[in-house]
C-alpha cells in the first residue's frame, strides 16, 4: 500500500471508529453491569461481526447502484415505494436521535469540565450550544476538513484515554470483572446500547464519495474501524468495571448526570493520579466530538441529497442549519434525554444499518444486479442471520420500552 493509500485508509478507519466511539461507549458500563463483564464481551463480538458485515453489505449495494448515492436512492431503486418511505424516515430518526444524545452528552461534559478546571458554572444550554457550534463549523467547511480534524481529535482522544488507563489500571480488581451480573435476564437492556455503540453506517455514502479513487481500501477500513471500536470498548469496561463495584454503578445510574458521576467516581479511586479527572473529561468530550462530527457529516450529505441543496457557500449553510438546528433545539429543551435518545437510535439504526442493506443486497443478488466491483462473502444463510439479528434488536428495545421484559 502506497503512502497516500495508507493515509486514506487511516483517515477512513478513524472516521468510522470515531463515529462509533461516542455516547454509546460512555453508557456501556451502566448496562454491562447488568449481565456481567464476560457475557458483555460476547455480546460485543456478535454485534461487531454483524455490524461490520452490514457495513460491507451497504458498500456492495452502494457500488451496485451508484457510488456515493444515499440510502434513499438505493432503497427507492431496489425496493420501490415502501423502500422510499422507510429509507426516508429511518435515517432521519437515527441521525437526529444520535445528534440529540451526543449534543446533550457533550454539553454536559463541557459543563463538568469547565467546573472542574475553572470552578465556574456554565448553563447546560450554553454548553450544548457551544458544542453544537464547534461541530457545525467543521462540517460546514468540507468533508476533507472533517477527515483531517477528526484524525487530530482522535489522536488527542487516544492520548487522553491512554493516560486515564495508565492511571486507573493499578486499581483494577479481577474479582469485580468476574462478578455475576446484577440481572441475568437483562439482555434487552445491553444489546440495544451495545448495538448503537457500533453505529458508523450513516457515514458510508460520504466515505465512498470521498474515497472514490481508493474504493479497494474501504472494506479493510470498515473492518479495522469496527475492531478499533471493539478494543476501545473492552479496555473501557476493564478500567471502569474493574475499579468500581456494582453498588456504585447502581447509584450512579439513578443520578441526573450519570456519566459525569462515573468520571468523578473513577477519578477518586485509590489508584488515580491527581489529574485523572481532567484526562477522563477530555477523553469523554473528544469521544463525543469525533462521534458527532461523523454522524453530522452523514446527516449533512443525506439532507443535501434529499433536498437537493447545492455545494455553494449558501447551499452548505442551509444544509448545516437543517443538520444542527432541530437536534440543538431538542437538546436544549430536553437536556436529560441522553439515554432516551440512544434507545430511539437503536431502533432506527437497526433499520438503516442492517435491515435495509440486507434486503437491498438480497434483491440485487436475486436479480443478478449485484456489483462486480465488490461482493461481500457469504450466501443467503448469512443474509438471513443478519436480518434476524437486526429484527432482534428492534424487538428487544420495543418490548423493554413497553415494560414487557
Amino acid at each position: 500500500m502506497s503512502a497516500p493509500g495508507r493515509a486514506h485508509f487511516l483517515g477512513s478507519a478513524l472516521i468510522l471508529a470515531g463515529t462509533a466511539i461516542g455516547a454509546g461507549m460512555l453508557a456501556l458500563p451502566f448496562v454491562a453491569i447488568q449481565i456481567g463483564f464476560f457475557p458483555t464481551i460476547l455480546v460485543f463480538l456478535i454485534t461487531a461481526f454483524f455490524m461490520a458485515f452490514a457495513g460491507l453489505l451497504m458498500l456492495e449495494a452502494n457500488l451496485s447502484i451508484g457510488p456515493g448515492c444515499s440510502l434513499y436512492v438505493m432503497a427507492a431503486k431496489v425496493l420501490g415505494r415502501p423502500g422510499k418511505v422507510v429509507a426516508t424516515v429511518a435515517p432521519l430518526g437515527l441521525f437526529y436521535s444520535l445528534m440529540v444524545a451526543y449534543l446533550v452528552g457533550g454539553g454536559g461534559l463541557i459543563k463538568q469540565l469547565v467546573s472542574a478546571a475553572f470552578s465556574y458554572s456554565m448553563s447546560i444550554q450554553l454548553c450544548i450550544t457551544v458544542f453544537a457550534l464547534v461541530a457545525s463549523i467543521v462540517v460546514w467547511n468540507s468533508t476533507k476538513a472533517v477527515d483531517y480534524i477528526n484524525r487530530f481529535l482522535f489522536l488527542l482522544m487516544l492520548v487522553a484515554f491512554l493516560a486515564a488507563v495508565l492511571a486507573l489500571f493499578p486499581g483494577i480488581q479481577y474479582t469485580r470483572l468476574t462478578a455475576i451480573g446484577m440481572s441475568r435476564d437483562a439482555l434487552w437492556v445491553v444489546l440495544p446500547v451495545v448495538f448503537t455503540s457500533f453505529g458508523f453506517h450513516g457515514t458510508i455514502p460520504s466515505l465512498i464519495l470521498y474515497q472514490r479513487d481508493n474504493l479497494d481500501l474501504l472494506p479493510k477500513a470498515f473492518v479495522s474501524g469496527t475492531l478499533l471500536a471493539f478494543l476501545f470498548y473492552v479496555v473501557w469496561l476493564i478500567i471502569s468495571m474493574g475499579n468500581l463495584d456494582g453498588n456504585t454503578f447502581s447509584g450512579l445510574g439513578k443520578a441526573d448526570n450519570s456519566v459525569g458521576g462515573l468520571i468523578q467516581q473513577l477519578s477518586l479511586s485509590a489508584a488515580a493520579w491527581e489529574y485523572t479527572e481532567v484526562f477522563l473529561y477530555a477523553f469523554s468530550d473528544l469521544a463525543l466530538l469525533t462521534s458527532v462530527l461523523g454522524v453530522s457529516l452523514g446527516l449533512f450529505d443525506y439532507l443535501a441529497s434529499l433536498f437537493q441543496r447545492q455545494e455553494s457557500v449558501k447551499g452548505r449553510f442551509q444544509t448545516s442549519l437543517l443538520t444542527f438546528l432541530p437536534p440543538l433545539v431538542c437538546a436544549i429543551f430536553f437536556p436529560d434525554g441522553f439515554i432516551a435518545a440512544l434507545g430511539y437510535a437503536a431502533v432506527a439504526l437497526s433499520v438503516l444499518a442492517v435491515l435495509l442493506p440486507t434486503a437491498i443486497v438480497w434483491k440485487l443478488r436475486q436479480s443478478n444486479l449485484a456489483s462486480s466491483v465488490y461482493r461481500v462473502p457469504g450466501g443467503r444463510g448469512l443474509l438471513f442471520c443478519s436480518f434476524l439479528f437486526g429484527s432482534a434488536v428492534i424487538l428487544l428495545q420495543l418490548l423493554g420500552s413497553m415494560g414487557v421484559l
Side-chain angles (χ1 to χ4, degrees):
M1 188 184 299
S2 63
R6 285 194 298 269
H8 283 287
F9 166 76
L10 177 62
S12 298
L14 290 183
I15 285 179
L16 293 171
T19 302
I21 299 171
M25 176 178 180
L26 301 177
L28 286 175
F30 296 98
V31 296
I33 199 69
Q34 300 296 318
I35 63 172
F37 175 77
F38 290 104
T40 302
I41 297 301
L42 179 60
V43 176
F44 277 0
L45 289 170
I46 296 172
T47 304
F49 172 80
F50 280 110
M51 291 301 270
F53 180 72
L56 296 175
L57 288 178
M58 188 175 289
L59 175 63
E60 177 181 333
N62 200 284
L63 296 179
S64 299
I65 298 167
C69 66
S70 68
L71 183 66
Y72 176 84
V73 172
M74 290 189 285
K77 288 189 175 182
V78 179
L79 303 177
R81 181 174 291 274
K84 283 184 180 181
V85 175
V86 175
T88 300
V89 175
L92 291 176
L94 169 67
F95 285 134
Y96 281 131
S97 295
L98 289 178
M99 288 286 287
V100 171
Y102 292 163
L103 292 181
V104 167
L109 287 172
I110 287 178
K111 178 179 174 65
Q112 292 273 354
L113 180 59
V114 171
S115 177
F118 304 106
S119 299
Y120 176 76
S121 179
M122 295 175 62
S123 70
I124 184 63
Q125 288 78 10
L126 177 59
C127 292
I128 290 172
T129 303
V130 170
F131 190 70
L133 183 61
V134 172
S136 65
I137 291 174
V138 176
V139 174
W140 170 76
N141 188 286
S142 69
T143 300
K144 188 173 183 178
V146 174
D147 180 11
Y148 285 107
I149 292 176
N150 197 79
R151 295 187 204 184
F152 175 71
L153 294 178
F154 195 92
L155 291 175
L156 286 182
M157 180 183 71
L158 182 61
V159 171
F161 182 69
L162 290 177
V165 169
L166 290 175
L168 295 169
F169 186 80
I172 295 172
Q173 295 185 23
Y174 182 73
T175 54
R176 289 174 175 167
L177 297 178
T178 57
I180 298 176
M182 296 165 57
S183 177
R184 301 294 290 177
D185 58 350
L187 181 61
W188 71 269
V189 177
V190 178
L191 182 57
V193 175
V194 172
F195 177 79
T196 305
S197 301
F198 283 93
F200 58 79
H201 302 69
T203 63
I204 290 177
S206 301
L207 281 178
I208 292 174
L209 283 176
Y210 182 52
Q211 303 282 32
R212 60 173 61 92
D213 296 327
N214 300 279
L215 293 176
D216 58 313
L217 301 177
L218 287 180
K220 293 181 180 178
F222 288 0
V223 175
S224 298
T226 304
L227 289 176
L228 186 57
F230 170 80
L231 292 175
F232 258 77
Y233 297 155
V234 171
V235 174
W236 173 239
L237 285 190
I238 290 175
I239 64 170
S240 57
M241 296 178 68
N243 275 275
L244 303 176
D245 57 27
N247 291 331
T248 302
F249 278 107
S250 179
L252 290 174
K254 299 174 182 177
D256 292 334
N257 189 356
S258 56
V259 175
L262 171 62
I263 291 174
Q264 288 181 338
Q265 287 295 320
L266 287 173
S267 66
L268 293 174
S269 65
W273 294 341
E274 180 181 356
Y275 297 104
T276 300
E277 187 175 18
V278 176
F279 286 128
L280 285 169
Y281 276 122
F283 156 68
S284 302
D285 278 327
L286 289 168
L288 281 160
L289 184 55
T290 55
S291 189
V292 80
L293 286 177
V295 170
S296 58
L297 174 62
L299 177 58
F300 182 96
D301 287 338
Y302 178 79
L303 291 173
S305 174
L306 186 64
F307 294 104
Q308 299 181 340
R309 296 295 90 190
Q310 301 297 319
E311 273 293 303
S312 62
V313 173
K314 179 181 178 181
R316 291 188 68 87
F317 178 74
Q318 292 172 337
T319 307
S320 295
L321 287 179
L322 291 172
T323 300
F324 285 93
L325 194 56
L328 175 59
V329 171
C330 290
I332 287 175
F333 282 98
F334 302 99
D336 57 347
F338 181 76
I339 299 298
L342 286 179
Y344 290 120
V347 175
L349 178 62
S350 181
V351 175
L352 168 68
V354 181
L355 301 186
L356 275 180
T358 302
I360 290 171
V361 170
W362 182 289
K363 192 164 184 180
L364 285 172
R365 290 183 180 180
Q366 288 227 333
S367 305
N368 294 320
L369 297 175
S371 172
S372 59
V373 178
Y374 178 75
R375 185 184 179 98
V376 186
R380 294 182 180 181
L382 198 50
L383 289 176
F384 176 77
C385 290
S386 176
F387 196 89
L388 189 63
F389 175 77
S391 301
V393 172
I394 295 176
L395 183 62
L396 288 172
Q397 174 63 33
L398 293 180
L399 292 178
S401 300
M402 293 185 293
V404 176
L405 297 177

